[in-house]
Amino acid sequence: MPKELPIFTPPKPTPIFEKIGIVGLGLIGGSIALKSRELWPSSLVVAVDNKDVLETAMRMHAIDVAADDLIVLAEVDLVILAAPVKQNVALLAELDDHVRTPAVVTDVGSTKREIVDAARALPPRFTFVGGHPLAGAARGGLENARPDLFAGRPWLLTRSAETVPQQKLESFVRALGAEPKVVGVDAHDRLLAFLSHLPQLTASALMEVVGEAVGADGLSLAGRGLADTTRLAASPADIWRDIVATNADQIGAALDLLIERLQELRKDLPNGERLTEVFDAAAAWRNQISR
Amino acid sequence: MPKELPIFTPPKPTPIFEKIGIVGLGLIGGSIALKSRELWPSSLVVAVDNKDVLETAMRMHAIDVAADDLIVLAEVDLVILAAPVKQNVALLAELDDHVRTPAVVTDVGSTKREIVDAARALPPRFTFVGGHPLAGAARGGLENARPDLFAGRPWLLTRSAETVPQQKLESFVRALGAEPKVVGVDAHDRLLAFLSHLPQLTASALMEVVGEAVGADGLSLAGRGLADTTRLAASPADIWRDIVATNADQIGAALDLLIERLQELRKDLPNGERLTEVFDAAAAWRNQISR
């Protein structure tokens, strides 16, 4: 009789954080929770949101511990603020009262200057590293969360003075499938004003103007061009009010450039020289975006 | 020995036109050619374009007769002008010298006022009905043409005084898979200014501004939002210069509305009241577009 062969068990990856606290279970917070549970069965995923959301999260097996109060965060070693931007800023001030242990604190918001400023007031047992996963989906909300949301996507991080927490957070987001990339705080907010905030405002303004002008009958004739150009306009106003308010100067500068360009095209419609220049440059840039 | 059973041959649909002349084999002209050959093997598809394009069309089995001269159109009973808008207008003036038979003349351009005006000068053996298939693809050109391009898509037609040619053309575009829809000439140009021309200018202006501001390194971080919003910006300038020049007043009015809305958002960035109004209205309109 042959000797029994040992059964191969793949080693469980060592958890990077023991207790992961996530405040706000939307598309991003929910996807972090799902992927963390998949990667590190021995880590605890602790979530704070309202009762309805927590029930959904429990049904999705996305979290281990749920509460509608920050008190559950007492012993976490990673805090992820995943609420809208201004709520994240407000939450920072409450951490000292609730999180009793040293912890890395990060966020996932679309602007960084305001929260990095506010984080300077945190007590020294916390290290704040701002974060921003550049991952999204056509629809937001926990119900659209999925563990592979971050696969291959950049995850921008600000630089803290503390090397070890910084490296731990980089390892964490890399484990989630993302590619961590450290950027300056000001550079982040300027870059995102152009890559994300300006396209969002443009898509929403365009959709509102077109809808009001042609109505439902006219829209019934819309083709893929209008559909693509206005896809972002389905985004809810509440998240965007916070983003825009905390990056108003950079978004304003970006909007000024777009308004100026549209005015130039406007003046030159019958002639089309400026149109040719802008279209040629735009086509060249567009071909550098893969999808 | 059993009697031989008759072999069932599906009846060939009666051709609506005997000789179909197509001037300009791009995405639209090429797709009309492919579908016509598929539907009516007994009709002749006669095409005019430059030699390179005609060779490609022959290789694709898209056409029966090819020439780089309008002389081949002598006996067609349908002329489809599928070149850029201003070329179509110029071609109208040449038809009298080349097309010897009575014919229905149509076009597929994105503006209708200028060509419908010009068509009034056609001799009475021609009936002009302006046409505009609302069908497209991410990439233009004959190589992207396909017989099902028009399936289920609207095909706008202007109204001529002649009932029979009008009905024949409606049957023709319905046979191609499209849904014919008769619209007024002015209404067409205003509608398309909002549904197509404004989104195109916006996408190109946005892409140019964002590309110049963040460069190739910045664009490497772009997500699906920017990609969708700027997809139209890959369109070539030459087609658009004609469209914009022949609809400058309506596009100008539409651009003014968009610029005004962007200026309102600009003024209200830190507060966000106008932003909420515009985003809420935009989201409601966007949900009426299916894809």
Side-chain angles (χ1 to χ4, degrees):
Chain A
M1 222 173 114
K3 264 196 354 191
E4 264 181 45
L5 286 168
I7 294 166
F8 175 74
T9 316
K12 295 245 188 275
T14 317
I16 300 163
F17 295 98
E18 300 293 332
K19 290 194 185 180
I20 301 163
I22 303 175
V23 187
L25 286 174
L27 175 69
I28 301 289
S31 296
I32 296 172
L34 284 168
K35 186 68 180 177
S36 297
R37 295 245 309 166
E38 187 181 298
L39 287 169
W40 304 294
S42 67
S43 290
L44 216 58
V45 175
V46 180
V48 181
D49 206 315
N50 67 50
K51 288 212 166 81
D52 284 352
V53 173
L54 292 171
E55 264 175 40
T56 306
M58 284 299 200
R59 246 184 287 120
M60 291 169 77
H61 302 287
I63 56 176
D64 298 294
V65 179
D68 59 357
D69 192 298
L70 297 175
I71 201 159
V72 286
L73 300 179
E75 297 183 342
V76 301
D77 53 348
L78 173 64
V79 177
I80 300 171
L81 302 173
V85 173
K86 285 193 169 184
Q87 285 183 49
N88 290 343
V89 172
L91 283 161
L92 275 182
E94 299 193 50
L95 295 183
D96 191 21
D97 285 346
H98 296 100
V99 185
R100 310 309 308 160
T101 43
V104 177
V105 179
T106 188
D107 76 314
V108 298
S110 189
T111 62
K112 293 274 80 75
R113 285 176 295 171
E114 189 153 326
I115 197 160
V116 167
D117 262 355
R120 293 188 219 286
L122 285 173
R125 72 176 180 281
F126 299 132
T127 301
F128 183 82
V129 182
H132 183 196
L134 302 184
R139 305 262 153 198
L142 177 60
E143 56 279 18
N144 296 300
R146 38 176 239 263
D148 66 346
L149 185 71
F150 310 109
R153 298 296 307 155
W155 192 310
L156 306 183
L157 294 171
T158 63
R159 186 177 300 288
S160 80
E162 311 286 326
T163 312
V164 174
Q166 180 94 31
Q167 284 172 349
K168 279 182 78 177
L169 193 61
E170 287 183 32
S171 303
F172 178 80
V173 308
R174 192 175 285 118
L176 296 181
E179 289 168 13
K181 193 176 159 75
V182 175
V183 291
V185 173
D186 291 338
H188 173 279
D189 284 6
R190 178 180 179 276
L191 184 66
L192 269 290
F194 284 100
L195 289 186
S196 165
H197 311 162
L198 180 64
Q200 174 63 54
L201 290 173
T202 305
S204 291
L206 177 65
M207 185 72 259
E208 194 261 357
V209 164
V210 172
E212 299 295 329
V214 306
D217 283 355
L219 285 188
S220 71
L221 298 170
R224 190 182 155 190
L226 184 72
D228 280 343
T229 316
T230 60
R231 193 175 323 279
L232 287 175
S235 309
D238 52 350
I239 291 175
W240 279 95
R241 210 165 32 231
D242 278 15
I243 295 173
V244 165
T246 54
N247 201 22
D249 56 345
Q250 292 291 358
I251 297 172
L255 262 176
D256 285 343
L257 288 173
L258 179 65
I259 291 169
E260 186 190 343
R261 198 68 76 252
L262 292 172
Q263 283 169 334
E264 289 166 11
L265 293 176
R266 167 84 181 90
K267 273 186 209 143
D268 187 48
L269 290 176
N271 181 343
E273 273 180 43
R274 189 71 183 112
L275 181 135
T276 303
E277 290 169 3
V278 171
F279 272 53
D280 285 348
W285 288 120
R286 185 59 185 78
N287 288 330
Q288 301 201 21
I289 303 179
S290 48
R291 34 196 181 173
Chain B
M1 220 171 113
K3 262 197 355 194
E4 265 184 42
L5 286 169
I7 294 165
F8 175 72
T9 316
K12 296 246 185 271
T14 317
I16 298 163
F17 296 98
E18 300 293 332
K19 289 193 185 180
I20 301 163
I22 304 175
V23 188
L25 287 174
L27 176 70
I28 301 290
S31 295
I32 296 173
L34 284 167
K35 186 69 180 176
S36 297
R37 295 244 310 165
E38 186 182 301
L39 286 169
W40 304 293
S42 67
S43 290
L44 216 57
V45 175
V46 180
V48 181
D49 206 314
N50 67 50
K51 287 212 165 81
D52 284 352
V53 173
L54 293 171
E55 264 175 41
T56 305
M58 284 299 200
R59 245 182 287 121
M60 291 169 75
H61 303 285
I63 57 176
D64 299 293
V65 178
D68 58 358
D69 192 298
L70 297 176
I71 201 157
V72 285
L73 300 179
E75 297 183 343
V76 300
D77 54 347
L78 173 64
V79 178
I80 301 171
L81 303 173
V85 172
K86 286 196 168 182
Q87 286 183 49
N88 289 342
V89 172
L91 284 161
L92 275 181
E94 299 193 48
L95 294 183
D96 192 20
D97 286 345
H98 295 100
V99 184
R100 310 312 309 162
T101 43
V104 177
V105 179
T106 188
D107 76 314
V108 297
S110 189
T111 63
K112 292 274 80 74
R113 285 176 296 171
E114 189 153 325
I115 197 159
V116 166
D117 262 356
R120 293 188 219 286
L122 284 173
R125 71 176 181 282
F126 300 132
T127 302
F128 183 82
V129 182
H132 183 195
L134 302 184
R139 304 263 153 196
L142 176 59
E143 55 279 17
N144 296 301
R146 36 175 239 262
D148 66 346
L149 185 71
F150 310 109
R153 296 298 306 153
W155 191 308
L156 305 183
L157 294 172
T158 65
R159 185 177 302 287
S160 80
E162 311 286 326
T163 312
V164 174
Q166 180 94 30
Q167 285 173 348
K168 279 182 76 177
L169 193 61
E170 287 184 32
S171 304
F172 178 79
V173 308
R174 193 175 283 115
L176 296 182
E179 290 168 12
K181 192 176 160 74
V182 176
V183 292
V185 174
D186 292 339
H188 173 279
D189 285 5
R190 180 181 178 276
L191 184 66
L192 269 291
F194 283 100
L195 289 186
S196 165
H197 311 162
L198 180 64
Q200 174 64 53
L201 289 174
T202 306
S204 292
L206 176 66
M207 186 73 259
E208 194 262 356
V209 164
V210 172
E212 298 295 329
V214 305
D217 283 356
L219 286 186
S220 71
L221 297 171
R224 190 181 155 189
L226 184 72
D228 280 344
T229 315
T230 61
R231 195 176 317 282
L232 287 175
S235 308
D238 52 351
I239 292 175
W240 280 96
R241 210 165 31 232
D242 278 14
I243 295 172
V244 165
T246 55
N247 201 22
D249 56 345
Q250 293 290 0
I251 297 172
L255 262 176
D256 286 343
L257 289 173
L258 179 65
I259 291 168
E260 187 190 343
R261 198 67 76 253
L262 292 172
Q263 283 169 333
E264 289 167 11
L265 292 176
R266 168 82 180 90
K267 273 185 208 139
D268 188 48
L269 289 176
N271 181 343
E273 274 180 43
R274 189 71 183 111
L275 181 135
T276 304
E277 291 169 3
V278 171
F279 272 53
D280 285 347
W285 288 119
R286 185 58 185 78
N287 288 330
Q288 301 202 21
I289 303 179
S290 49
R291 38 196 178 167

